[in-house]
Amino acid sequence: MDSNTPGKLRSQQWWTGGDYYAFSRKAWLRSEGYTRDVFDGRPVIGICNSWSELNNCNAHLRTLAEAVKRGVWRAGGFPLEFPTISLGEMFLKPTSMLYRNLMSMDVEEMITANPLDGVLLLCGCDKTTPAQLMGAASANLPAIMVTGGPMLHGQWKDRKLGAGTDGRKLFDLYRTGKITDGEWCEIEGGLARSAGHCTVMGTASTMASVVEALGMTLPNCAAIPAPDSRRTTIAELSGQRIVEMVKQNLRPSDILTRQAFENAITVDMAIGGSTNAVVHLLAVAGRLGIDLKLDDFDLISRKTPCVVNVKPSGEYLMEDLFAAGGIPAVMKEVLPLLHGEAITANGHTVAENVASAECYNRDVIRPYDQPLSMEGGTAILRGNLAPNGAVIKPTAASPHLLQHRGTAYVFETYQQMRAEIDRPDLAVTKDTILVMKSCGPKGAPGFPEWGQIPMPKVLLEQGINDMVRISDARMSGTSFGTVVLHVAPESAAGGPLAAVETGDEIILDTANRSITLAVSDEEIQRRLAARPAPPVHYDRGYGKMFLNHVNQADQGCDFDFLRKT
Ligand code: FES
């Protein structure tokens, strides 16, 4: 039995039947001290927990799991917490993105292989959220998510800091000697002061917001700070709700419709969300057979104002957004652009959920007609340099660079860039366009967040803080600058980015959504044909599977065999 059917829970398949294995499953589970009551036909709720000491952003999730259990018991369910792989953004090499699909497989297989009727997903860092969502979408048992919430704001002297946007800005001051070693140590101790994910609108905050917009959490889950007691409360309420969802057989495929994805993209644009949301939403949609495309993001971006004034696009932090009314207040602001009738995890529609939402700070959540920018936070570029698309975040870029013509300075690899970027004789000016290759899903490998190429020291010393940068990498959602990312096909897969040479002219025209290499097609093909084959990074194990099956950025970088056909 693959799923719950009317009048019969899936878990009963494990407990009933009268054979030895039905007996032994119950006997072995009772070794944990449960009474026989747990087999009486109550829904078994898995609590899928990405807690790990190797993931500081998820360090509080065991506590939240206890609150979830209270809710499940109270609603008449039977909670069983289980661990999966966790992906600590700061620790995994070469990049956490290499392992997102692996974690999603772990989540899917542990949900489907165990006696579960529904699942509550506990997560929080950049990749744990999309990985759990992808796995749960494929498993398609009733599911609800509780994200871990943003950490407290950082503190240094009298400054309020947002991890990691302000860390990156301060690092440039440290590189140029404007911050001392002692001060840098103080910043290290004060930037991330609690459990929870990064407190700007980075990838984790974006994904939490987008999951709320998809309808997979209870309303207002995304922005409650991690240490806030109200996060514990919403965890308990979510535990209670998943039991009811099992009884109603409300599954991810009922919630994650095309309308829900369009709502999620609209909210992503309204919050100035991370460019990584594009990759993750494409991957989740692919698990459900929903034909979401890069161009859907651009279409929605063009008509959605960015109304959330949170770093890196704006000035405030996630806890300010929560105090201002959170994602429900944002969704109410852009409600005319949303599918208000879309159903959500609490059984109500989007319009019903946000009807009573209020905004308490009009500088944090701007009025629809006085936005931070008239268009959304993500634009999709195409052209002979990126035939299958590329991504830019105009709200975090320098306006004067969004239309730019410049000469390329090329780094063939990330390693070359790292070795040369601080060279005092680096031949670059403020108009140069930095190009970096071999940073895509296959090339790096794993599609790391190397796309915000550090500003050359020689330019920083002239007081220049931004320039156009282009690569087939991703960038952290906490990053900023005029950075073109996700160029597809990537250079290691034969994309034209591989053909760029230092001195070539490149034209970035964000208004017209184009990125052009001013070199003839014949010359591009000649250069590509002359290039040696890229190195193969793995000849065994998971890495080999990744290289053989990962899709390109414009398809979400999922494995081809995990997408629903
Ligand atoms: Fe986990 Fe930023 S490092 S969210």
Side-chain angles (χ1 to χ4, degrees):
M1 182 165 48
D2 292 326
S3 58
N4 305 309
T5 51
K8 183 137 192 202
L9 290 171
R10 180 176 181 270
S11 58
Q12 289 298 309
Q13 190 184 18
W14 274 257
W15 315 145
T16 59
D19 62 353
Y20 174 76
Y21 291 104
F23 155 80
S24 58
R25 289 181 197 116
K26 289 185 282 192
W28 264 249
L29 190 51
R30 288 190 66 187
S31 73
E32 295 182 32
Y34 297 111
T35 67
R36 291 209 81 226
D37 292 349
V38 297
F39 308 117
D40 65 1
R42 64 184 70 203
V44 183
I45 305 299
I47 301 173
C48 178
N49 195 342
S50 58
W51 172 89
S52 167
E53 287 183 343
L54 284 169
N55 187 345
N56 56 289
C57 304
N58 288 192
H60 58 313
L61 296 188
R62 296 298 307 280
T63 313
L64 286 185
E66 292 307 314
V68 172
K69 288 176 194 171
R70 287 201 301 271
V72 172
W73 284 120
R74 198 175 62 236
F78 173 27
L80 288 169
E81 182 185 354
F82 65 97
T84 64
I85 299 168
S86 191
L87 306 176
E89 193 64 25
M90 289 299 165
F91 307 121
L92 286 165
K93 285 183 182 286
T95 164
S96 62
M97 186 63 183
L98 183 69
Y99 305 105
R100 183 201 64 178
N101 297 347
L102 181 65
M103 179 173 171
S104 80
M105 292 167 75
D106 181 353
V107 170
E108 176 184 349
E109 299 302 331
M110 287 305 99
I111 292 173
T112 54
N114 276 300
L116 302 177
D117 302 309
V119 63
L120 186 140
L121 307 160
L122 266 181
C123 56
C125 196
D126 289 17
K127 305 302 180 302
T128 56
T129 306
Q132 285 191 351
L133 199 59
M134 290 160 71
S138 293
N140 204 26
L141 285 182
I144 193 169
M145 184 171 270
V146 177
T147 48
M151 61 176 68
L152 296 175
H153 71 260
Q155 190 82 46
W156 178 55
K157 297 186 175 169
D158 62 343
R159 286 183 64 169
K160 198 172 172 179
L161 303 180
T165 304
D166 289 311
R168 292 174 193 279
K169 287 185 176 164
L170 291 168
F171 184 54
D172 280 346
L173 296 180
Y174 178 58
R175 283 171 69 206
T176 48
K178 293 175 185 135
I179 283 178
T180 66
D181 286 342
E183 287 174 321
W184 192 235
C185 286
E186 288 170 16
I187 294 166
E188 180 186 285
L191 185 62
R193 294 189 298 134
S194 75
H197 56 71
C198 292
T199 184
V200 296
M201 194 55 82
T203 304
S205 298
T206 300
M207 288 311 297
S209 306
V210 154
V211 171
E212 185 174 330
L214 281 168
M216 287 295 291
T217 68
L218 292 184
N220 215 7
C221 183
I224 306 171
D228 193 307
S229 59
R230 288 164 288 186
R231 179 150 299 283
T232 316
T233 307
I234 206 167
E236 182 172 332
L237 292 171
S238 302
Q240 194 176 336
R241 175 61 194 156
I242 184 62
V243 178
E244 293 159 12
M245 288 174 74
V246 169
K247 290 174 183 165
Q248 296 164 354
N249 201 21
L250 183 59
R251 296 180 298 167
S253 57
D254 300 317
I255 297 171
L256 297 173
T257 59
R258 173 152 189 113
Q259 288 186 331
F261 280 96
E262 290 179 2
N263 284 349
I265 297 170
T266 301
V267 168
D268 179 30
M269 298 307 157
I271 62 178
S274 162
T275 45
N276 288 318
V278 177
V279 178
H280 298 319
L281 282 172
L282 289 169
V284 179
R287 294 297 184 98
L288 295 148
I290 294 174
D291 187 26
L292 202 64
K293 296 227 179 317
L294 268 185
D295 292 338
D296 292 316
F297 289 80
D298 202 62
L299 217 59
I300 293 173
S301 178
R302 284 180 184 272
K303 61 183 183 190
T304 308
C306 176
V307 294
V308 171
N309 189 7
V310 168
K311 292 178 182 184
S313 298
E315 297 169 39
Y316 294 93
L317 299 175
M318 285 301 286
E319 59 191 85
D320 303 312
L321 177 61
F322 175 58
I327 294 301
V330 176
M331 292 178 75
K332 191 171 186 183
E333 205 57 44
V334 295
L335 190 57
L337 302 176
L338 297 175
H339 299 287
E341 70 279 20
I343 200 76
T344 71
N346 69 356
H348 296 289
T349 65
V350 164
E352 288 167 348
N353 285 342
V354 305
S356 60
E358 282 185 60
C359 176
Y360 305 108
N361 187 329
R362 276 303 184 189
D363 198 32
V364 177
I365 303 172
R366 298 279 182 84
Y368 188 92
D369 55 359
Q370 295 167 41
L372 215 59
S373 69
M374 294 306 292
E375 292 191 2
T378 305
I380 306 301
L381 308 170
R382 287 183 191 275
N384 68 345
L385 193 51
N388 294 346
V391 172
I392 189 170
K393 186 172 183 176
T395 50
S398 300
H400 72 281
L401 289 172
L402 289 172
Q403 307 296 124
H404 185 75
R405 192 180 195 110
T407 304
Y409 187 97
V410 176
F411 299 109
E412 291 294 329
T413 62
Y414 174 74
Q415 291 73 18
Q416 184 198 354
M417 182 278 292
R418 284 290 298 269
E420 296 184 11
I421 198 72
D422 283 347
R423 261 178 37 198
D425 62 340
L426 197 72
V428 294
T429 71
K430 65 179 177 37
D431 296 322
T432 302
I433 295 179
L434 298 182
V435 172
M436 187 167 65
K437 306 176 185 176
S438 301
C439 298
K442 293 174 191 280
F447 205 17
E449 292 184 335
W450 294 340
Q452 193 206 32
I453 304 168
M455 285 297 294
K457 202 169 176 180
V458 68
L459 294 182
L460 281 178
E461 285 167 350
Q462 295 168 35
I464 297 160
N465 296 314
D466 194 14
M467 66 195 302
V468 176
R469 290 157 268 180
I470 301 173
S471 74
D472 44 12
R474 296 177 303 117
M475 80 169 177
S476 164
T478 65
S479 295
F480 46 87
T482 312
V483 184
V484 177
L485 305 150
H486 307 188
V487 170
E490 63 172 304
S491 55
L497 185 72
V500 185
E501 293 179 358
T502 295
D504 288 347
E505 194 169 60
I506 294 176
I507 303 122
L508 169 64
D509 181 356
T510 309
N512 289 305
R513 303 297 198 250
S514 75
I515 181 95
T516 309
L517 176 64
V519 172
S520 70
D521 288 348
E522 296 72 35
E523 175 62 9
I524 290 174
Q525 291 311 320
R526 189 195 66 74
R527 291 181 190 177
L528 290 177
R531 282 180 68 82
V536 177
H537 293 283
Y538 298 104
D539 61 7
R540 61 170 296 280
Y542 173 73
K544 184 172 183 180
M545 183 170 86
F546 182 92
L547 293 179
N548 287 345
H549 293 286
V550 71
N551 287 323
Q552 289 289 288
D554 58 303
Q555 293 184 299
C557 295
D558 200 2
F559 292 152
D560 48 15
F561 59 85
L562 292 175
R563 286 166 69 91
K564 186 172 182 181
T565 52

